[in-house]
Amino acid sequence: MDGHSTVDNPPTRSPLADNAPAENPRTDAPRTLVGICTYNEAGNIREMLTRVAAALPDADILVVDDGSPDGTAELVRQFAAQHSAPGNVNCHVREDRGLGGAIRAAMQTAITERYQLFCNLDADLSHDPADLPRLVQAVLESDVDVAVGSRYVPGGQIHGWPTRRKWMSRFINSLAKRKANLPVNDASGSFRCYRVACLERLDWQAEWSNGYSFIQQILLRLKKLGATFTEVPITFTERVQGNSKLDLREAVRSGWTVLRLS
């Protein structure tokens, strides 16, 4: 791991990383899928795809769009036709709505298509795609199952948030740390890299949240399987274009999910 990564507790070797998915046919790098979940992100999606492709040029990108009326999906298709190798950028449009369901759909694609790593980040450029290689490196070099992009470890920062958003985030993460005993400081951010081998072990037929609370729920269930974690400091920047989908109702629901599952 490079000098920017931090680990609260030194990780042990992953007990879940025994399967060996197909190697990347384009390179000796691990076969990686980057999932981007969208709803009305037409103002951000082209820059987002450009920056992800620059950060991880050998990765495939899957945009899961919840039927955005602003034409987000069409912009993804245009980008794929103009800038990517065949099959490198794809768009899946769902009829349903919900961040948790969209991330789950991307994860299941990573499992079905036998990727080795799955990365997820927000579509609104609040997460810097340039940090993706550090998350991948943290998983590979620390030999853990999940690398969490963290705002709440030394070096992590938040830019542009009002006090209300900071309070909601601190509330959710306090519950996750104290009540659920999650071994990470930032359980409410979706910027992560997972080993697909550990995702395969989850019971995908169980009840899962379709909303924001999925972000905490999957960490809780991976922890019960014995997954190992590390955190990498990131700078989170409030979106410039579009509106946040997180409101007080979602924050309360997320906190309740943590309490119920813990």
Side-chain angles (χ1 to χ4, degrees):
M1 192 186 309
D2 64 34
H4 295 286
S5 300
T6 64
V7 184
D8 283 349
N9 298 304
T12 57
R13 188 184 189 283
S14 164
L16 306 180
D18 296 327
N19 295 338
E23 296 295 329
N24 192 330
R26 297 190 299 271
T27 177
D28 57 0
R31 191 163 180 254
T32 302
L33 180 67
V34 179
I36 305 170
C37 303
T38 58
Y39 182 74
N40 285 347
E41 295 291 354
N44 296 310
I45 193 60
R46 290 183 68 89
E47 181 179 355
M48 183 70 183
L49 292 171
T50 299
R51 290 168 61 177
V52 170
L56 291 180
D58 296 315
D60 293 332
I61 303 171
L62 174 64
V63 176
V64 180
D65 183 71
D66 285 359
S68 299
D70 71 347
T72 297
E74 181 57 31
L75 290 174
V76 175
R77 296 187 187 102
Q78 291 175 11
F79 181 93
Q82 297 168 4
H83 299 285
S84 69
N88 192 36
V89 177
N90 287 283
C91 184
H92 169 58
V93 178
R94 305 192 316 144
E95 295 182 0
D96 299 327
R97 288 271 312 271
L99 177 62
I103 296 175
R104 195 163 68 249
M107 287 179 166
Q108 289 172 334
T109 296
I111 293 169
T112 301
E113 299 298 324
R114 301 186 67 226
Y115 285 89
Q116 294 169 285
L117 300 176
F118 173 77
C119 298
N120 187 79
L121 72 169
D122 291 348
D124 59 9
L125 298 171
S126 57
H127 298 142
D128 186 353
D131 289 328
L132 282 166
R134 293 200 295 123
L135 291 176
V136 169
Q137 183 182 21
V139 168
L140 298 177
E141 295 192 1
S142 296
D143 207 6
V144 295
D145 296 302
V146 185
V148 173
S150 180
R151 299 159 290 185
Y152 302 126
V153 293
Q157 301 180 62
I158 298 173
H159 291 164
W161 261 10
T163 301
R164 177 181 59 87
R165 286 292 301 275
K166 292 179 180 179
W167 179 87
M168 285 195 298
S169 180
R170 288 292 189 182
F171 169 72
I172 294 168
N173 283 292
S174 177
L175 285 178
K177 189 84 169 177
R178 297 179 183 180
K179 299 297 184 182
N181 199 30
L182 276 174
V184 296
N185 295 288
D186 194 344
S188 64
S190 65
F191 196 10
R192 298 171 185 167
C193 178
Y194 303 82
R195 286 189 189 271
V196 176
C198 78
L199 297 178
E200 285 183 302
R201 305 289 184 90
L202 292 166
D203 180 4
W204 293 104
Q205 301 306 312
E207 179 184 352
W208 288 92
S209 168
N210 283 322
Y212 176 76
S213 56
F214 175 84
I215 295 172
Q216 296 85 45
Q217 187 180 37
I218 193 166
L219 292 184
L220 287 163
R221 291 186 174 175
L222 286 171
K223 176 177 175 286
K224 289 181 179 179
L225 287 178
T228 52
F229 305 83
T230 189
E231 295 189 86
V232 176
I234 62 164
T235 296
F236 181 98
T237 304
E238 177 67 330
R239 66 159 64 232
V240 175
Q241 298 194 55
N243 298 312
S244 173
K245 282 74 173 177
L246 176 63
D247 55 20
L248 182 59
R249 179 184 300 177
E250 278 292 328
V252 171
R253 184 179 299 149
S254 180
W256 168 246
T257 297
V258 171
L259 288 173
R260 180 171 58 86
L261 292 177
S262 62

